[in-house]
Structures are given as structure tokens and as C-alpha cells.
Amino acid sequence: MDGDLKQVLKPTSEKLMWILMYADDIALISGVVASLKAAIGLLDTVFSDWGLTVSTAKTKVLVIGRDAQSQAATLSMQVRGVTLEVVHKFKYLGSIFMSDGTLDAEINHSHSMQAWVQEVMSQLSHALDDIPDGTSLHPPGALPYTHDDEVAMRRFLDSLKGRGVVCTSMDKAETTLMFMCPKLYVDNLLTDLETGATYHPATLSHADLLHVHNGFCRHYGIPVDMTRQAMPHYVGTCKMHKDPPGMRFISSSNTSSMRSVSLVINKLLTQLLLGVDALFAAVLQSVNIDAKWTQHSWILKNMAAAIPLINAWNAIYASHSASHPRLYTYDFERLYTNIPSGDMHSKIMQLVGKVFASHSQQAGVKVWNEAPAVWLTAAQMPARDSDHYETGYAGKFFIYDLDTIAEFLRHLLDNMYVQFGDQLLRQVIGTPMGTNCASLLANFYLAIYELAFLENIADMATNTMNPQAKQTQAKEILKSFLMTGRYIDDLLSINNPYLKFLLYTNQTLFYHDLHGIYPDMLLLKCAHSGTEVPFMDISIRPSVVRQAPP
């Protein structure tokens, strides 16, 4: 067989048909234009006889030689009437063929990081030199930071376009800029969009989606912002706090037509966090645990909120512990794109329903820009949807009942789109990271599992039908979870020996009815464990060396 193939593929002076083949990747090589045209025609004919098709979109023509540029300008190759694109380089099986005859461009590229860095630094230096002397460039968030500062910063960043560099921010440190190779940046974005079933091509046009989005706002009396009529665009930031570093993918929604709805949901969930905290506190009170030193729920409102958790450990336990506590940090991998939207809607509404149930005599809640939420009776609720959103003396406010919240959340989850180049894609799993309320959606979704877990243990500890030993052990386990906090998808637990055995709902410990916390579709990875660990941008370590008792 091998011998026959060699005879078949051996080039002759009559056929001049050199072929490189690997699976469905084929390269035809010829020194004569007419012979190459004949070879392409022959290949297409053979393919057609066997029910195969040459992809005219992926097939390219490359002219190699000293006069390649001028020859390429006049060359025309066609397959079934479709003119093939003439390129100056082509990647074949990991190697890049160049028009000058070289074959090691990919290898050279992979070993030229230092040269690229030097080029970027040179371009950056030139861009900085172009900024007039005396221009203020305070970083965003610093004071004073004026509109002129922002204009100057944007002008500087725009000046980097087309200079072989992508400027992005560092994850968890948004005011720190990073510079990336454009090819690496785009390849990572494409890989994320094309891997798995998270994104599907949109079935509606941009104009149709705007009609849906703006129509929803008008129905509820929310002003339509005509300056924000775009689809969210897909961008990436660098996770340099991970080992190894990676990328976080974000749906940049600042100019999105869904921004108004996302902001309304964001204000609501922010106000309801107090009610969530109260639900967690009630669980602790049911087993007579003093929760005054804990933050009640596991939700850390910001990264700095981990510090009170550590202070609580020091205040309650440190003086009684003979050795340093063991610290555990976990990461949820791809949290935002692993949660089915239907499940997210169901679980968030379950938690919101519990908050409403704790205000049993109230039918709705009025949410202001800054002021605390005000609970309303049925008689105080507006009669029409369009009256839910108004402008009062304290600024814009929105009035919710459970049905309205469910409708808003469903509208948001059904209208999650991203734009990447000319592609418009719908996210069908999870929620876009980057929409205003994304972190709160994740927090509420995880919190219902955390609350159910603690409620289950509390029931075991207080159920008089259980043996005393089981009640005592359940309460001990519950205490071990007091010093647990989560900042969106980063989990911290102090001196908790049970956590790794109770991460997932399909895990049980000691008793068949003691189940773990999260659904197993969410993958948690232990990032660090020990007496000294990093958590977000905080380093947690002992301040005094302790000796265990003999």
C-alpha cells in the first residue's frame, strides 16, 4: 500500500503536482501558475467525485520568491468560480510559510518575546513623549481626577492603537494597565467564545434586539438612554493573581441597551443584601450561636470585608487556640459561564422570596439610589407597571413586588448578548461578567445554597428526635463554618476541617442527611491552604509565633 501511494503521489515532469497532506489539511505546490491551476481543478474534481468540497473560505494562495509581491498582485486562482485570496503568509500545521521562502516565522515568533517587549516599551515611550508637558494623568479613582484627566488618558490609550499592542486592565486591580500581544489577546477571546455551548449565534438582529430592550423599559416607565444602544462587546483582563496567570473574559456593558435594566436590578439586590444577612443570622440564633462577631452571610461586600472576618477570629478564638489556624482558599472555575440561566433565575428568586417572606405583612419594596429600602403594604403598591419607576425628592426609585422582580430577572437572563467583531452571540449559559449586576447575581445564586446548607445543619442540631451526639456534632460543624467568607467566586474559610468534605451537595459526612454546599456542576479548586495564604490582594499570615502545648 505504501509503495503504491508513493508511486501515485510521485511528481512527474508532466504533472508537476507536489502534495503535502495531513488528514484534511492539504497543500499543493507548483513552480508554474498553469500547473497549479490544473492541480487545483483536478483536486476539486476528485473531491466532488467522492462527495467532498474544497473550502474556498479557508483555501489561500501564497506566492513564494524574490518577486512574490508583484506576482501576487496580478495572480488570480479560482475554485468553482470563487476567487481565492492571495496572502503573504500562511500557517500550515503549526509552521508559517512566508512569501520570502522562510518557514520558521512561528518558531521565531515564539522566541521573540523579549524583542516584542522592547518594541512595546519603545512605542509606549513615544506615546508618552507625545503628551504635552504639564498634562495631569491621575489614575482613575485617585483625587483630584477631572474630565480633562480622562480625556488625556483616553487620548494616550488611543495613540497606542495600531502599534502592535493591546492595552487592558489587570483583574482585581482595575487601575493597573497591562499590555498584551494582539494575537495572543484575540486568540484567547476566540477560544473562549468558540469552546463549549455557552454562546450561540444570535437569531435576532441588532435592530430587533433594541426594539425588545427599549420596549421593555418603556413598559415599566424606565427612560431609554439613546446614547447607550450598543450590544456589549467582549473583552479580556489578565488574572495575574493566579498561578499560572490567565484571562478573565468580560462583557463590557457600559454602552449597552440593557444597562438600564441591569442597574435597576443591581440597586434592588444591593438593598436586599441586608435581608439576606438577616436570614443567615436567624439560622445562627436558632442554635443559640452568638453571631455578633460574624458578618452573618458569607457574602463579602468587597475585598476589604475579609479583614473583619480575620479580626473576628482573633477576637473570639485566637486567645484560646494553642496553634495557628489553618486557612483555606478556594476558587470557583468559570462560575459565570457554568450556571444554566433557568437555574439561576429559580435560585435567585428562591432567595428573594425568603427575604420577602421575612417581611410577611409587606407586598413590595421601594428602592432608592442610596437611601435604605422601604417596605410597602399592598395598599401602597402602584396600580400600573409604568408607575413602578419614578423620580422623587431622593432621586430615581423603583418599586418591586415578587412578580416584577421575576420579570426583570427573566428579561435580563433572556437578553444576554455579546459583540465580537462582526459576530453577535447570545450567552445561553450563565450570565455575562461585566453587566452591572453580574456579581450580585452570582452572590445571590451561591448564597441560597449556602443558606440551605446551614439551615440543614441547624435542623440537625435542634431536632430533638436526633441522638444527642448527632445534635452536638452538627452544632460543632456549624461553628466551624462561622469564619467563612466569599468574595464572588473566591472562598475563604478559617480553621475549618470539614469544608473539603462538604463542598458539593452530592457529598455527605458522618450522616446520610448531612449534605455539602454547592451543586457539583460548579468546580471548586483549592487555591491555597496553610497558616499563611493570599486571598485576593490580601496576605493573611500569623503575627505571633505560637508553640503547641506539650
Side-chain angles (χ1 to χ4, degrees):
M1 184 70 170
D2 289 341
D4 291 339
L5 282 176
K6 289 177 182 177
Q7 290 299 319
V8 171
L9 301 179
K10 182 177 180 180
T12 65
S13 57
E14 292 81 14
K15 292 193 180 279
L16 285 181
M17 189 172 174
W18 288 91
I19 303 179
L20 298 177
M21 297 195 306
Y22 180 81
D24 60 347
D25 292 313
I26 299 175
L28 300 177
I29 306 171
S30 178
V32 181
V33 172
S35 297
L36 183 59
K37 289 183 176 181
I40 292 174
L42 178 60
L43 183 71
D44 184 49
T45 299
V46 173
F47 270 36
S48 297
D49 290 344
W50 289 90
L52 303 173
T53 304
V54 175
S55 172
T56 55
K58 295 182 179 180
T59 302
K60 310 296 180 184
V61 178
L62 175 67
V63 179
I64 298 176
R66 287 177 294 180
D67 196 27
Q69 187 172 356
S70 60
Q71 291 186 52
T74 58
L75 183 64
S76 177
M77 293 279 180
Q78 293 187 339
V79 174
R80 298 184 306 280
V82 178
T83 302
L84 303 177
E85 182 184 3
V86 180
V87 297
H88 69 279
K89 64 179 179 180
F90 186 76
K91 186 174 182 179
Y92 182 73
L93 302 181
S95 296
I96 297 181
F97 292 78
M98 305 295 292
S99 58
D100 61 1
T102 59
L103 189 62
D104 59 351
E106 182 82 345
I107 299 174
N108 289 340
H109 174 78
S110 64
H111 289 80
S112 63
M113 178 58 71
Q114 188 59 41
W116 179 80
V117 170
Q118 291 175 352
E119 175 64 19
V120 169
M121 294 306 294
S122 174
Q123 297 288 357
L124 183 60
S125 178
H126 288 310
L128 288 171
D129 289 342
D130 292 339
I131 298 176
D133 291 341
T135 301
S136 173
L137 282 177
H138 297 291
L143 295 175
Y145 187 70
T146 67
H147 174 70
D148 290 342
D149 294 330
E150 181 175 349
V151 170
M153 179 65 79
R154 289 186 179 278
R155 186 183 299 117
F156 164 63
L157 295 178
D158 287 342
S159 70
L160 296 178
K161 292 179 180 178
R163 299 198 184 198
V165 62
V166 169
C167 181
T168 184
S169 63
M170 187 184 297
D171 186 48
K172 303 297 187 342
E174 287 75 11
T175 59
T176 302
L177 299 180
M178 294 195 62
F179 301 96
M180 287 185 65
C181 165
K183 183 178 185 303
L184 175 65
Y185 179 81
V186 173
D187 284 350
N188 273 276
L189 291 176
L190 282 173
T191 299
D192 186 69
L193 287 172
E194 295 172 354
T195 301
T198 302
Y199 299 95
H200 290 178
T203 57
L204 296 177
S205 68
H206 187 166
D208 290 337
L209 289 174
L210 289 181
H211 179 73
V212 172
H213 298 170
N214 295 338
F216 183 89
C217 289
R218 292 188 180 101
H219 175 74
Y220 280 99
I222 300 175
V224 175
D225 188 347
M226 299 308 296
T227 66
R228 291 184 166 92
Q229 295 289 288
M231 292 296 115
H233 55 279
Y234 211 54
V235 298
T237 62
C238 296
K239 298 192 288 187
M240 300 306 294
H241 61 287
K242 302 294 185 182
D243 186 17
M247 286 190 70
R248 187 182 298 279
F249 303 100
I250 295 175
S251 169
S252 183
S253 305
N254 186 52
T255 59
S256 165
S257 55
M258 285 294 293
R259 184 174 183 267
S260 296
V261 172
S262 185
L263 284 173
V264 169
I265 295 175
N266 189 75
K267 291 176 183 178
L268 166 73
L269 298 184
T270 298
Q271 292 288 353
L272 293 186
L273 278 175
L274 291 175
V276 174
D277 285 342
L279 295 175
F280 277 74
V283 174
L284 301 181
Q285 292 165 6
S286 71
V287 290
N288 298 317
I289 293 178
D290 185 0
K292 68 179 181 179
W293 288 104
T294 70
Q295 53 158 11
H296 304 154
S297 78
W298 293 3
I299 298 173
L300 299 174
K301 310 302 190 297
N302 49 55
M303 289 182 283
I307 296 176
L309 192 67
I310 299 166
N311 292 339
W313 164 267
N314 291 333
I316 301 174
Y317 300 106
S319 61
H320 307 296
S321 177
S323 59
H324 293 305
R326 191 162 187 86
L327 308 167
Y328 303 90
T329 63
Y330 283 81
D331 291 336
F332 288 86
E333 295 191 351
R334 299 186 64 82
L335 172 64
Y336 286 89
T337 53
N338 274 342
I339 306 172
S341 61
D343 189 46
M344 174 172 280
H345 185 276
S346 172
K347 293 300 187 296
I348 291 176
M349 287 308 303
Q350 184 180 340
L351 184 58
V352 172
K354 283 180 171 288
V355 175
F356 267 68
S358 66
H359 296 78
S360 57
Q361 303 302 314
Q362 311 302 321
V365 60
K366 177 186 287 189
V367 176
W368 304 81
N369 279 354
E370 302 295 340
V374 177
W375 289 90
L376 306 175
T377 65
Q380 295 172 312
M381 294 294 292
R384 299 179 304 168
D385 289 339
S386 58
D387 292 333
H388 279 235
Y389 188 96
E390 296 181 17
T391 300
Y393 65 89
K396 296 176 181 177
F397 63 82
F398 202 92
I399 299 174
Y400 301 86
D401 54 23
L402 276 175
D403 290 340
T404 305
I405 296 172
E407 181 69 18
F408 265 69
L409 190 57
R410 171 51 56 206
H411 177 71
L412 179 77
L413 295 175
D414 284 348
N415 287 276
M416 300 180 298
Y417 292 85
V418 294
Q419 186 88 40
F420 185 72
D422 59 355
Q423 298 183 68
L424 181 58
L425 305 170
R426 182 188 172 201
Q427 184 171 341
V428 296
I429 302 176
T431 184
M433 185 175 185
T435 192
N436 299 87
C437 62
S439 61
L440 283 165
L441 295 179
N443 274 334
F444 271 62
Y445 178 81
L446 296 177
I448 190 61
Y449 285 102
E450 294 156 357
L451 179 62
F453 170 72
L454 296 181
E455 287 176 336
N456 181 42
I457 302 177
D459 288 342
M460 293 174 59
T462 56
N463 188 345
T464 56
M465 300 296 292
N466 288 330
Q468 186 61 45
K470 183 175 182 179
Q471 295 181 54
T472 302
Q473 191 168 42
K475 187 171 183 178
E476 186 62 31
I477 294 172
L478 187 58
K479 286 182 177 179
S480 295
F481 281 89
L482 288 180
M483 297 300 158
T484 301
R486 176 180 49 77
Y487 181 70
I488 310 177
D489 56 356
D490 291 284
L491 187 69
L492 167 68
S493 197
I494 303 176
N495 231 36
N496 185 350
Y498 304 109
L499 178 60
K500 64 180 179 180
F501 302 108
L502 291 169
L503 287 174
Y504 301 109
T505 52
N506 60 2
Q507 290 178 297
T508 58
L509 183 66
F510 300 132
Y511 308 101
H512 72 278
D513 53 347
L514 177 54
H515 295 276
I517 311 167
Y518 304 107
D520 58 0
M521 66 181 174
L522 301 179
L523 181 61
L524 285 99
K525 180 181 70 174
C526 184
H528 301 92
S529 66
T531 57
E532 181 176 346
V533 299
F535 181 67
M536 313 303 291
D537 59 352
I538 300 172
S539 178
I540 308 174
R541 59 181 181 271
S543 58
V544 179
V545 177
R546 295 179 182 271
Q547 296 292 333

